[in-house]
Amino acid sequence: MSTLKEKLHKKIIEHRPRTTKLLKDYGDKVIAKVTVEQVIGGMRGIKSLITDISYLDPYEGIRYRGYTLQEVLKKLPKAKGAEMPYVEGLYYLLLTGEIPAQNEVEDLIIDFNNRRIVPRYVWDVIDSFPSESHPMAILSAAVMSLERESHFNIKYKQGMNKKDYWNSTYEDATNLLAKMPLIGAYIYNKLYHPERGHRYPDPSLDFGANFAYMMGKDKPYDDVSRMYFIIHADHESGNVSAHTGHLVASSLSDVYYATSAMINGLAGPLHGLANQEVLRWLQGLIDLTHGKLPSKDELKAYVWKTLNSGQVIPGYGHAVLRKTDPRYTVQREFCLKHLPNDNIFKYVDALYNVVPDILKEHGKAKNPWPNVDAQSGVVQWHYGVTQYDFYTVLFAIGRSIGVLSNIIWDRALGYPLERPKSITTNMLEEMVQSKEELSHSAH
Ligand code: CMX
């Protein structure tokens, strides 16, 4: 057993009695109430999911296993001369709650490298996609095609004990995660740089550096990739991609089905696709102003025009956050250090100074502050990844780290099939109306 898997096993054994006790001793204790607004309004804020991998505070932002993003970036081991930590170290942290030592991450990098071989049929599936297909549709199908490799399915058919579900799920999850950057880079090269042919991975490189190598990018794109995958990894359980992954896996569908489904959820413009929408929206503004940074009044007019035409401002607002997203701030700090004079960065920064006040005046969005997607495309564009349709694939590679970690723990703690109850509009009306109103409406 690898060091990580051994440690994980120990943590699972330690954790199980906590879940058992909660269920046995406090199973019927009420911890929250549900309002009509929440039922109609997409279940906002209903405390009905459990995860220890990450927690999202509305005012502070995300914490991974109790660590803020700044702490994660500071504490996780790094390659020599690197600014950003190894992505493999984050997987270790999310699974165990512990910051790994340098040698533990190095072991894991070797383990990941051994799992990188992608069957040829995956390339065939990608190659067979018709032109103009969206990279997220291709990614989802490529992951789905790998389903036949599932260890979980083989073991399940052989009659596996429930207590062992986590073990083959760990194997499936780590196998898939190791392959995700290769699949992403292959899609990129096929769609936008077919002249490059098939680039093979470099076994001497870690997750982020190998991705940069396969994308044909020099330093500091290795750090850009590490930063990108780490900050997008998890955002607790209720967001569309994480929740979809969890929901699908709860029926004991294997991680290939669950990850493909989470990719499909991430591909919507209100969620992960917003990073592509931000760049599309920014390009509209840049074209309008012929690349010359507009005045504050011109910016305001552009923002109002978008709002008045009934569209959302991409990259702003959030279902949970009520302040500037720390994932935005991490990327902004990277931009200030590495690309302070980048023209698009200047546009993004200028918008930061006008959009929140406008959204407040507009009076609809509960959170007028920027989210992760407002900033992420700018970094990619600066380093030559200008094909913004591809940005959500990068998000998906990162998000798979958190979703897969969660699924392993879901299996370890025996979380059941997810199955909430729905009601009809008639039932809801009856629940809220007083007896008098009911008899009145009956006449
Ligand atoms: N621009 C304009 N209107 C916005 C807005 C924005 N950026 N954010 C919210 N609103 C509007 C909503 O559309 C909603 O309008 P209606 O009452 O007409 O339906 C109203 O304000 C209230 O919405 P909310 O409760 O503040 O936000 P939700 O929880 O419903 O939605 C989100 C959250 C992210 C979908 C929304 O803020 C949005 O559409 N933002 C722009 C898209 C975006 O950046 N998405 C990426 C989020 C991060 C991620 O998942 O990657």
Side-chain angles (χ1 to χ4, degrees), residues 44 266 269-272 274 278 307 311-320 322 327 359 362 364-367 371-373 395:
R44 289 295 179 286
L266 193 66
L270 296 186
H271 191 17
V278 167
L307 288 172
Q311 298 172 61
V312 295
I313 306 298
Y316 280 79
H318 200 273
V320 178
R322 293 294 176 261
R327 302 172 298 176
L359 283 177
H362 185 241
K364 276 190 158 189
K366 294 191 187 70
N367 176 35
N371 60 58
V372 62
D373 299 312
F395 195 152

PDB file of all heavy atoms in Angstrom, residues 44 266 269-272 274 278 307 311-320 322 327 359 362 364-367 371-373 395, ligand 1:
ATOM      1  N   ARG A  44     -31.012  27.021  -1.650  1.00  0.00           N
ATOM      2  CA  ARG A  44     -29.943  27.854  -1.079  1.00  0.00           C
ATOM      3  C   ARG A  44     -29.872  27.732   0.437  1.00  0.00           C
ATOM      4  O   ARG A  44     -30.882  27.896   1.126  1.00  0.00           O
ATOM      5  CB  ARG A  44     -30.175  29.341  -1.373  1.00  0.00           C
ATOM      6  CG  ARG A  44     -29.994  29.798  -2.749  1.00  0.00           C
ATOM      7  CD  ARG A  44     -28.559  29.670  -3.254  1.00  0.00           C
ATOM      8  NE  ARG A  44     -28.526  30.120  -4.618  1.00  0.00           N
ATOM      9  CZ  ARG A  44     -29.018  29.415  -5.644  1.00  0.00           C
ATOM     10  NH1 ARG A  44     -29.517  28.215  -5.442  1.00  0.00           N
ATOM     11  NH2 ARG A  44     -29.001  29.913  -6.849  1.00  0.00           N
ATOM     12  N   LEU A 266     -20.421  21.432 -14.596  1.00  0.00           N
ATOM     13  CA  LEU A 266     -19.486  22.564 -14.583  1.00  0.00           C
ATOM     14  C   LEU A 266     -19.571  23.378 -15.879  1.00  0.00           C
ATOM     15  O   LEU A 266     -19.204  24.550 -15.918  1.00  0.00           O
ATOM     16  CB  LEU A 266     -18.058  22.019 -14.399  1.00  0.00           C
ATOM     17  CG  LEU A 266     -16.961  23.000 -14.049  1.00  0.00           C
ATOM     18  CD1 LEU A 266     -17.176  23.593 -12.661  1.00  0.00           C
ATOM     19  CD2 LEU A 266     -15.592  22.315 -14.095  1.00  0.00           C
ATOM     20  N   PRO A 269     -22.952  28.184 -18.004  1.00  0.00           N
ATOM     21  CA  PRO A 269     -22.429  29.552 -17.857  1.00  0.00           C
ATOM     22  C   PRO A 269     -22.634  30.180 -16.476  1.00  0.00           C
ATOM     23  O   PRO A 269     -21.955  31.143 -16.148  1.00  0.00           O
ATOM     24  CB  PRO A 269     -23.166  30.348 -18.933  1.00  0.00           C
ATOM     25  CG  PRO A 269     -24.366  29.531 -19.286  1.00  0.00           C
ATOM     26  CD  PRO A 269     -24.008  28.104 -19.028  1.00  0.00           C
ATOM     27  N   LEU A 270     -23.555  29.627 -15.666  1.00  0.00           N
ATOM     28  CA  LEU A 270     -23.693  30.181 -14.317  1.00  0.00           C
ATOM     29  C   LEU A 270     -22.661  29.577 -13.381  1.00  0.00           C
ATOM     30  O   LEU A 270     -22.477  30.033 -12.250  1.00  0.00           O
ATOM     31  CB  LEU A 270     -25.102  29.919 -13.757  1.00  0.00           C
ATOM     32  CG  LEU A 270     -26.251  30.599 -14.507  1.00  0.00           C
ATOM     33  CD1 LEU A 270     -27.562  30.388 -13.768  1.00  0.00           C
ATOM     34  CD2 LEU A 270     -25.993  32.102 -14.697  1.00  0.00           C
ATOM     35  N   HIS A 271     -21.973  28.526 -13.823  1.00  0.00           N
ATOM     36  CA  HIS A 271     -20.965  27.858 -12.988  1.00  0.00           C
ATOM     37  C   HIS A 271     -19.597  27.980 -13.685  1.00  0.00           C
ATOM     38  O   HIS A 271     -19.156  29.082 -13.991  1.00  0.00           O
ATOM     39  CB  HIS A 271     -21.440  26.410 -12.758  1.00  0.00           C
ATOM     40  CG  HIS A 271     -20.691  25.637 -11.717  1.00  0.00           C
ATOM     41  ND1 HIS A 271     -19.896  26.224 -10.766  1.00  0.00           N
ATOM     42  CD2 HIS A 271     -20.599  24.295 -11.476  1.00  0.00           C
ATOM     43  CE1 HIS A 271     -19.376  25.277  -9.989  1.00  0.00           C
ATOM     44  NE2 HIS A 271     -19.781  24.105 -10.415  1.00  0.00           N
ATOM     45  N   GLY A 272     -18.947  26.878 -13.984  1.00  0.00           N
ATOM     46  CA  GLY A 272     -17.556  26.939 -14.480  1.00  0.00           C
ATOM     47  C   GLY A 272     -17.377  27.661 -15.800  1.00  0.00           C
ATOM     48  O   GLY A 272     -16.342  28.285 -16.041  1.00  0.00           O
ATOM     49  N   ALA A 274     -18.461  30.263 -16.696  1.00  0.00           N
ATOM     50  CA  ALA A 274     -18.388  31.720 -16.530  1.00  0.00           C
ATOM     51  C   ALA A 274     -16.982  32.241 -16.852  1.00  0.00           C
ATOM     52  O   ALA A 274     -16.836  33.377 -17.301  1.00  0.00           O
ATOM     53  CB  ALA A 274     -18.798  32.111 -15.112  1.00  0.00           C
ATOM     54  N   VAL A 278     -16.531  35.428 -19.176  1.00  0.00           N
ATOM     55  CA  VAL A 278     -15.851  36.659 -18.769  1.00  0.00           C
ATOM     56  C   VAL A 278     -14.969  37.154 -19.914  1.00  0.00           C
ATOM     57  O   VAL A 278     -14.993  38.331 -20.282  1.00  0.00           O
ATOM     58  CB  VAL A 278     -14.995  36.422 -17.492  1.00  0.00           C
ATOM     59  CG1 VAL A 278     -14.056  37.589 -17.239  1.00  0.00           C
ATOM     60  CG2 VAL A 278     -15.890  36.197 -16.283  1.00  0.00           C
ATOM     61  N   LEU A 307     -26.529  44.725 -18.121  1.00  0.00           N
ATOM     62  CA  LEU A 307     -27.599  44.484 -17.145  1.00  0.00           C
ATOM     63  C   LEU A 307     -28.969  44.837 -17.725  1.00  0.00           C
ATOM     64  O   LEU A 307     -29.930  44.081 -17.562  1.00  0.00           O
ATOM     65  CB  LEU A 307     -27.344  45.307 -15.877  1.00  0.00           C
ATOM     66  CG  LEU A 307     -26.185  44.836 -14.990  1.00  0.00           C
ATOM     67  CD1 LEU A 307     -25.923  45.845 -13.867  1.00  0.00           C
ATOM     68  CD2 LEU A 307     -26.481  43.459 -14.395  1.00  0.00           C
ATOM     69  N   GLN A 311     -28.988  40.504 -19.050  1.00  0.00           N
ATOM     70  CA  GLN A 311     -27.933  39.488 -18.894  1.00  0.00           C
ATOM     71  C   GLN A 311     -27.213  39.680 -17.565  1.00  0.00           C
ATOM     72  O   GLN A 311     -27.284  40.751 -16.960  1.00  0.00           O
ATOM     73  CB  GLN A 311     -26.918  39.620 -20.033  1.00  0.00           C
ATOM     74  CG  GLN A 311     -27.509  39.387 -21.413  1.00  0.00           C
ATOM     75  CD  GLN A 311     -26.508  39.717 -22.499  1.00  0.00           C
ATOM     76  OE1 GLN A 311     -25.456  39.116 -22.581  1.00  0.00           O
ATOM     77  NE2 GLN A 311     -26.833  40.699 -23.314  1.00  0.00           N
ATOM     78  N   VAL A 312     -26.480  38.630 -17.144  1.00  0.00           N
ATOM     79  CA  VAL A 312     -25.696  38.756 -15.906  1.00  0.00           C
ATOM     80  C   VAL A 312     -24.290  39.257 -16.251  1.00  0.00           C
ATOM     81  O   VAL A 312     -23.833  39.122 -17.375  1.00  0.00           O
ATOM     82  CB  VAL A 312     -25.586  37.425 -15.131  1.00  0.00           C
ATOM     83  CG1 VAL A 312     -26.942  36.975 -14.647  1.00  0.00           C
ATOM     84  CG2 VAL A 312     -24.917  36.331 -15.977  1.00  0.00           C
ATOM     85  N   ILE A 313     -23.639  39.853 -15.254  1.00  0.00           N
ATOM     86  CA  ILE A 313     -22.231  40.246 -15.422  1.00  0.00           C
ATOM     87  C   ILE A 313     -21.403  39.012 -15.066  1.00  0.00           C
ATOM     88  O   ILE A 313     -21.348  38.615 -13.893  1.00  0.00           O
ATOM     89  CB  ILE A 313     -21.846  41.420 -14.479  1.00  0.00           C
ATOM     90  CG1 ILE A 313     -22.810  42.602 -14.652  1.00  0.00           C
ATOM     91  CG2 ILE A 313     -20.395  41.829 -14.691  1.00  0.00           C
ATOM     92  CD1 ILE A 313     -22.830  43.230 -16.034  1.00  0.00           C
ATOM     93  N   PRO A 314     -20.773  38.379 -16.053  1.00  0.00           N
ATOM     94  CA  PRO A 314     -20.050  37.144 -15.745  1.00  0.00           C
ATOM     95  C   PRO A 314     -18.866  37.409 -14.822  1.00  0.00           C
ATOM     96  O   PRO A 314     -18.179  38.430 -14.944  1.00  0.00           O
ATOM     97  CB  PRO A 314     -19.593  36.634 -17.122  1.00  0.00           C
ATOM     98  CG  PRO A 314     -19.636  37.819 -18.022  1.00  0.00           C
ATOM     99  CD  PRO A 314     -20.660  38.765 -17.473  1.00  0.00           C
ATOM    100  N   GLY A 315     -18.651  36.482 -13.898  1.00  0.00           N
ATOM    101  CA  GLY A 315     -17.514  36.634 -12.979  1.00  0.00           C
ATOM    102  C   GLY A 315     -17.862  37.397 -11.715  1.00  0.00           C
ATOM    103  O   GLY A 315     -17.009  37.608 -10.855  1.00  0.00           O
ATOM    104  N   TYR A 316     -19.113  37.817 -11.594  1.00  0.00           N
ATOM    105  CA  TYR A 316     -19.550  38.531 -10.378  1.00  0.00           C
ATOM    106  C   TYR A 316     -20.736  37.809  -9.752  1.00  0.00           C
ATOM    107  O   TYR A 316     -21.536  37.192 -10.448  1.00  0.00           O
ATOM    108  CB  TYR A 316     -19.929  39.983 -10.710  1.00  0.00           C
ATOM    109  CG  TYR A 316     -18.687  40.848 -10.819  1.00  0.00           C
ATOM    110  CD1 TYR A 316     -17.914  40.817 -11.973  1.00  0.00           C
ATOM    111  CD2 TYR A 316     -18.262  41.636  -9.757  1.00  0.00           C
ATOM    112  CE1 TYR A 316     -16.743  41.567 -12.069  1.00  0.00           C
ATOM    113  CE2 TYR A 316     -17.104  42.390  -9.840  1.00  0.00           C
ATOM    114  CZ  TYR A 316     -16.345  42.346 -10.993  1.00  0.00           C
ATOM    115  OH  TYR A 316     -15.186  43.062 -11.075  1.00  0.00           O
ATOM    116  N   GLY A 317     -20.819  37.905  -8.427  1.00  0.00           N
ATOM    117  CA  GLY A 317     -21.916  37.269  -7.700  1.00  0.00           C
ATOM    118  C   GLY A 317     -21.539  35.857  -7.273  1.00  0.00           C
ATOM    119  O   GLY A 317     -20.577  35.260  -7.776  1.00  0.00           O
ATOM    120  N   HIS A 318     -22.277  35.352  -6.312  1.00  0.00           N
ATOM    121  CA  HIS A 318     -22.062  33.974  -5.850  1.00  0.00           C
ATOM    122  C   HIS A 318     -23.238  33.534  -4.987  1.00  0.00           C
ATOM    123  O   HIS A 318     -23.825  34.359  -4.284  1.00  0.00           O
ATOM    124  CB  HIS A 318     -20.755  33.854  -5.043  1.00  0.00           C
ATOM    125  CG  HIS A 318     -20.255  32.450  -4.974  1.00  0.00           C
ATOM    126  ND1 HIS A 318     -20.669  31.580  -4.005  1.00  0.00           N
ATOM    127  CD2 HIS A 318     -19.405  31.758  -5.778  1.00  0.00           C
ATOM    128  CE1 HIS A 318     -20.079  30.414  -4.209  1.00  0.00           C
ATOM    129  NE2 HIS A 318     -19.309  30.488  -5.284  1.00  0.00           N
ATOM    130  N   ALA A 319     -23.515  32.233  -5.043  1.00  0.00           N
ATOM    131  CA  ALA A 319     -24.643  31.718  -4.273  1.00  0.00           C
ATOM    132  C   ALA A 319     -24.351  31.689  -2.767  1.00  0.00           C
ATOM    133  O   ALA A 319     -25.270  31.762  -1.961  1.00  0.00           O
ATOM    134  CB  ALA A 319     -25.006  30.321  -4.764  1.00  0.00           C
ATOM    135  N   VAL A 320     -23.090  31.584  -2.380  1.00  0.00           N
ATOM    136  CA  VAL A 320     -22.738  31.506  -0.955  1.00  0.00           C
ATOM    137  C   VAL A 320     -21.871  32.690  -0.515  1.00  0.00           C
ATOM    138  O   VAL A 320     -22.124  33.325   0.517  1.00  0.00           O
ATOM    139  CB  VAL A 320     -21.983  30.184  -0.634  1.00  0.00           C
ATOM    140  CG1 VAL A 320     -21.573  30.123   0.826  1.00  0.00           C
ATOM    141  CG2 VAL A 320     -22.849  28.970  -0.990  1.00  0.00           C
ATOM    142  N   ARG A 322     -20.110  36.208   0.165  1.00  0.00           N
ATOM    143  CA  ARG A 322     -20.619  37.568   0.318  1.00  0.00           C
ATOM    144  C   ARG A 322     -19.465  38.569   0.405  1.00  0.00           C
ATOM    145  O   ARG A 322     -19.569  39.617   1.030  1.00  0.00           O
ATOM    146  CB  ARG A 322     -21.507  37.665   1.573  1.00  0.00           C
ATOM    147  CG  ARG A 322     -22.801  36.854   1.454  1.00  0.00           C
ATOM    148  CD  ARG A 322     -23.737  37.420   0.373  1.00  0.00           C
ATOM    149  NE  ARG A 322     -24.940  36.612   0.169  1.00  0.00           N
ATOM    150  CZ  ARG A 322     -25.100  35.720  -0.816  1.00  0.00           C
ATOM    151  NH1 ARG A 322     -24.138  35.502  -1.699  1.00  0.00           N
ATOM    152  NH2 ARG A 322     -26.219  35.052  -0.949  1.00  0.00           N
ATOM    153  N   ARG A 327     -10.137  33.220  -4.176  1.00  0.00           N
ATOM    154  CA  ARG A 327      -9.541  32.621  -5.379  1.00  0.00           C
ATOM    155  C   ARG A 327      -9.285  33.709  -6.428  1.00  0.00           C
ATOM    156  O   ARG A 327      -8.348  33.629  -7.220  1.00  0.00           O
ATOM    157  CB  ARG A 327     -10.466  31.527  -5.946  1.00  0.00           C
ATOM    158  CG  ARG A 327     -10.763  30.414  -4.958  1.00  0.00           C
ATOM    159  CD  ARG A 327     -11.825  29.468  -5.478  1.00  0.00           C
ATOM    160  NE  ARG A 327     -13.113  30.126  -5.700  1.00  0.00           N
ATOM    161  CZ  ARG A 327     -14.182  29.532  -6.223  1.00  0.00           C
ATOM    162  NH1 ARG A 327     -14.127  28.268  -6.577  1.00  0.00           N
ATOM    163  NH2 ARG A 327     -15.312  30.200  -6.384  1.00  0.00           N
ATOM    164  N   LEU A 359     -23.686  46.829  -9.306  1.00  0.00           N
ATOM    165  CA  LEU A 359     -24.551  45.700  -8.912  1.00  0.00           C
ATOM    166  C   LEU A 359     -25.354  46.042  -7.659  1.00  0.00           C
ATOM    167  O   LEU A 359     -26.515  45.654  -7.518  1.00  0.00           O
ATOM    168  CB  LEU A 359     -23.724  44.425  -8.705  1.00  0.00           C
ATOM    169  CG  LEU A 359     -23.273  43.707  -9.995  1.00  0.00           C
ATOM    170  CD1 LEU A 359     -22.394  42.503  -9.674  1.00  0.00           C
ATOM    171  CD2 LEU A 359     -24.469  43.261 -10.842  1.00  0.00           C
ATOM    172  N   HIS A 362     -28.070  48.284  -8.853  1.00  0.00           N
ATOM    173  CA  HIS A 362     -29.003  47.454  -9.626  1.00  0.00           C
ATOM    174  C   HIS A 362     -29.960  46.725  -8.674  1.00  0.00           C
ATOM    175  O   HIS A 362     -31.141  46.517  -8.972  1.00  0.00           O
ATOM    176  CB  HIS A 362     -28.178  46.458 -10.461  1.00  0.00           C
ATOM    177  CG  HIS A 362     -28.960  45.603 -11.395  1.00  0.00           C
ATOM    178  ND1 HIS A 362     -28.975  44.238 -11.305  1.00  0.00           N
ATOM    179  CD2 HIS A 362     -29.764  45.903 -12.452  1.00  0.00           C
ATOM    180  CE1 HIS A 362     -29.737  43.733 -12.260  1.00  0.00           C
ATOM    181  NE2 HIS A 362     -30.224  44.723 -12.976  1.00  0.00           N
ATOM    182  N   LYS A 364     -30.149  43.616  -7.351  1.00  0.00           N
ATOM    183  CA  LYS A 364     -30.600  42.217  -7.424  1.00  0.00           C
ATOM    184  C   LYS A 364     -29.601  41.256  -6.799  1.00  0.00           C
ATOM    185  O   LYS A 364     -29.942  40.470  -5.918  1.00  0.00           O
ATOM    186  CB  LYS A 364     -30.833  41.827  -8.882  1.00  0.00           C
ATOM    187  CG  LYS A 364     -32.184  42.206  -9.413  1.00  0.00           C
ATOM    188  CD  LYS A 364     -32.399  41.554 -10.761  1.00  0.00           C
ATOM    189  CE  LYS A 364     -33.855  41.434 -11.096  1.00  0.00           C
ATOM    190  NZ  LYS A 364     -34.044  40.615 -12.287  1.00  0.00           N
ATOM    191  N   ALA A 365     -28.364  41.273  -7.283  1.00  0.00           N
ATOM    192  CA  ALA A 365     -27.361  40.290  -6.831  1.00  0.00           C
ATOM    193  C   ALA A 365     -27.127  40.425  -5.326  1.00  0.00           C
ATOM    194  O   ALA A 365     -26.900  41.524  -4.827  1.00  0.00           O
ATOM    195  CB  ALA A 365     -26.057  40.494  -7.595  1.00  0.00           C
ATOM    196  N   LYS A 366     -27.164  39.304  -4.610  1.00  0.00           N
ATOM    197  CA  LYS A 366     -26.918  39.355  -3.158  1.00  0.00           C
ATOM    198  C   LYS A 366     -25.443  39.576  -2.875  1.00  0.00           C
ATOM    199  O   LYS A 366     -25.072  40.042  -1.810  1.00  0.00           O
ATOM    200  CB  LYS A 366     -27.409  38.068  -2.496  1.00  0.00           C
ATOM    201  CG  LYS A 366     -28.921  37.907  -2.571  1.00  0.00           C
ATOM    202  CD  LYS A 366     -29.410  36.768  -1.696  1.00  0.00           C
ATOM    203  CE  LYS A 366     -30.890  36.517  -1.909  1.00  0.00           C
ATOM    204  NZ  LYS A 366     -31.203  35.924  -3.221  1.00  0.00           N
ATOM    205  N   ASN A 367     -24.612  39.222  -3.832  1.00  0.00           N
ATOM    206  CA  ASN A 367     -23.173  39.414  -3.658  1.00  0.00           C
ATOM    207  C   ASN A 367     -22.626  40.194  -4.858  1.00  0.00           C
ATOM    208  O   ASN A 367     -22.568  39.655  -5.971  1.00  0.00           O
ATOM    209  CB  ASN A 367     -22.479  38.039  -3.566  1.00  0.00           C
ATOM    210  CG  ASN A 367     -20.972  38.178  -3.476  1.00  0.00           C
ATOM    211  OD1 ASN A 367     -20.453  39.114  -2.879  1.00  0.00           O
ATOM    212  ND2 ASN A 367     -20.260  37.254  -4.082  1.00  0.00           N
ATOM    213  N   ASN A 371     -16.076  36.771  -8.389  1.00  0.00           N
ATOM    214  CA  ASN A 371     -15.746  35.389  -8.034  1.00  0.00           C
ATOM    215  C   ASN A 371     -14.513  34.939  -8.812  1.00  0.00           C
ATOM    216  O   ASN A 371     -13.943  35.711  -9.585  1.00  0.00           O
ATOM    217  CB  ASN A 371     -16.961  34.478  -8.261  1.00  0.00           C
ATOM    218  CG  ASN A 371     -17.426  34.474  -9.710  1.00  0.00           C
ATOM    219  OD1 ASN A 371     -16.652  34.150 -10.614  1.00  0.00           O
ATOM    220  ND2 ASN A 371     -18.682  34.855  -9.939  1.00  0.00           N
ATOM    221  N   VAL A 372     -14.140  33.695  -8.629  1.00  0.00           N
ATOM    222  CA  VAL A 372     -12.906  33.150  -9.212  1.00  0.00           C
ATOM    223  C   VAL A 372     -12.810  33.395 -10.722  1.00  0.00           C
ATOM    224  O   VAL A 372     -11.732  33.641 -11.264  1.00  0.00           O
ATOM    225  CB  VAL A 372     -12.813  31.627  -8.905  1.00  0.00           C
ATOM    226  CG1 VAL A 372     -13.950  30.848  -9.525  1.00  0.00           C
ATOM    227  CG2 VAL A 372     -11.481  31.024  -9.288  1.00  0.00           C
ATOM    228  N   ASP A 373     -13.959  33.347 -11.404  1.00  0.00           N
ATOM    229  CA  ASP A 373     -13.945  33.379 -12.863  1.00  0.00           C
ATOM    230  C   ASP A 373     -13.650  34.756 -13.443  1.00  0.00           C
ATOM    231  O   ASP A 373     -13.314  34.879 -14.620  1.00  0.00           O
ATOM    232  CB  ASP A 373     -15.294  32.867 -13.395  1.00  0.00           C
ATOM    233  CG  ASP A 373     -15.551  31.438 -12.978  1.00  0.00           C
ATOM    234  OD1 ASP A 373     -14.630  30.617 -13.147  1.00  0.00           O
ATOM    235  OD2 ASP A 373     -16.641  31.137 -12.467  1.00  0.00           O
ATOM    236  N   PHE A 395     -10.614  24.272 -15.305  1.00  0.00           N
ATOM    237  CA  PHE A 395     -11.409  24.260 -14.073  1.00  0.00           C
ATOM    238  C   PHE A 395     -11.765  22.800 -13.730  1.00  0.00           C
ATOM    239  O   PHE A 395     -11.638  22.345 -12.583  1.00  0.00           O
ATOM    240  CB  PHE A 395     -12.678  25.105 -14.306  1.00  0.00           C
ATOM    241  CG  PHE A 395     -13.450  25.515 -13.083  1.00  0.00           C
ATOM    242  CD1 PHE A 395     -14.207  26.702 -13.094  1.00  0.00           C
ATOM    243  CD2 PHE A 395     -13.473  24.749 -11.931  1.00  0.00           C
ATOM    244  CE1 PHE A 395     -14.948  27.097 -11.991  1.00  0.00           C
ATOM    245  CE2 PHE A 395     -14.214  25.132 -10.820  1.00  0.00           C
ATOM    246  CZ  PHE A 395     -14.950  26.297 -10.850  1.00  0.00           C
TER     247      PHE A 395
HETATM  248  N1  CMX B   1     -25.071  40.051 -12.764  1.00  0.00           N
HETATM  249  C1  CMX B   1     -26.383  40.360 -12.841  1.00  0.00           C
HETATM  250  N2  CMX B   1     -27.336  39.850 -12.055  1.00  0.00           N
HETATM  251  C2  CMX B   1     -26.922  38.999 -11.108  1.00  0.00           C
HETATM  252  C3  CMX B   1     -25.577  38.666 -10.911  1.00  0.00           C
HETATM  253  C4  CMX B   1     -24.633  39.197 -11.810  1.00  0.00           C
HETATM  254  N3  CMX B   1     -23.347  38.875 -11.760  1.00  0.00           N
HETATM  255  N4  CMX B   1     -25.483  37.792  -9.892  1.00  0.00           N
HETATM  256  C5  CMX B   1     -26.744  37.600  -9.446  1.00  0.00           C
HETATM  257  N5  CMX B   1     -27.604  38.324 -10.188  1.00  0.00           N
HETATM  258  C6  CMX B   1     -29.069  38.323 -10.117  1.00  0.00           C
HETATM  259  C7  CMX B   1     -29.575  36.892 -10.345  1.00  0.00           C
HETATM  260  O1  CMX B   1     -29.622  36.577 -11.732  1.00  0.00           O
HETATM  261  C8  CMX B   1     -30.925  36.948  -9.680  1.00  0.00           C
HETATM  262  O2  CMX B   1     -31.797  37.592 -10.567  1.00  0.00           O
HETATM  263  P1  CMX B   1     -33.387  37.162 -10.646  1.00  0.00           P
HETATM  264  O3  CMX B   1     -33.937  37.515  -9.308  1.00  0.00           O
HETATM  265  O4  CMX B   1     -33.888  37.960 -11.771  1.00  0.00           O
HETATM  266  O5  CMX B   1     -33.398  35.674 -10.904  1.00  0.00           O
HETATM  267  C9  CMX B   1     -30.662  37.883  -8.500  1.00  0.00           C
HETATM  268  O6  CMX B   1     -29.480  38.649  -8.821  1.00  0.00           O
HETATM  269  C10 CMX B   1     -30.405  37.151  -7.176  1.00  0.00           C
HETATM  270  O7  CMX B   1     -29.375  36.227  -7.377  1.00  0.00           O
HETATM  271  P2  CMX B   1     -28.405  35.820  -6.158  1.00  0.00           P
HETATM  272  O8  CMX B   1     -29.260  35.193  -5.112  1.00  0.00           O
HETATM  273  O9  CMX B   1     -27.542  36.949  -5.781  1.00  0.00           O
HETATM  274  O10 CMX B   1     -27.453  34.751  -6.871  1.00  0.00           O
HETATM  275  P3  CMX B   1     -27.733  33.202  -7.146  1.00  0.00           P
HETATM  276  O11 CMX B   1     -27.316  32.448  -5.940  1.00  0.00           O
HETATM  277  O12 CMX B   1     -29.100  32.964  -7.658  1.00  0.00           O
HETATM  278  O13 CMX B   1     -26.722  32.930  -8.351  1.00  0.00           O
HETATM  279  C11 CMX B   1     -24.700  33.093  -9.557  1.00  0.00           C
HETATM  280  C12 CMX B   1     -25.336  32.892  -8.176  1.00  0.00           C
HETATM  281  C13 CMX B   1     -23.208  32.841  -9.432  1.00  0.00           C
HETATM  282  C14 CMX B   1     -25.315  32.084 -10.530  1.00  0.00           C
HETATM  283  C15 CMX B   1     -24.980  34.538 -10.040  1.00  0.00           C
HETATM  284  O14 CMX B   1     -24.346  35.451  -9.149  1.00  0.00           O
HETATM  285  C16 CMX B   1     -24.527  34.791 -11.453  1.00  0.00           C
HETATM  286  O15 CMX B   1     -25.289  34.511 -12.398  1.00  0.00           O
HETATM  287  N6  CMX B   1     -23.267  35.327 -11.651  1.00  0.00           N
HETATM  288  C17 CMX B   1     -22.713  35.504 -12.965  1.00  0.00           C
HETATM  289  C18 CMX B   1     -22.226  34.152 -13.510  1.00  0.00           C
HETATM  290  C19 CMX B   1     -20.977  33.717 -12.772  1.00  0.00           C
HETATM  291  O16 CMX B   1     -20.018  34.455 -12.617  1.00  0.00           O
HETATM  292  N7  CMX B   1     -20.964  32.431 -12.372  1.00  0.00           N
HETATM  293  C20 CMX B   1     -19.757  31.809 -11.756  1.00  0.00           C
HETATM  294  C21 CMX B   1     -19.905  31.558 -10.249  1.00  0.00           C
HETATM  295  C22 CMX B   1     -18.677  30.870  -9.705  1.00  0.00           C
HETATM  296  C23 CMX B   1     -18.564  29.474 -10.242  1.00  0.00           C
HETATM  297  O17 CMX B   1     -19.392  28.626  -9.901  1.00  0.00           O
HETATM  298  O18 CMX B   1     -17.674  29.212 -11.047  1.00  0.00           O
END
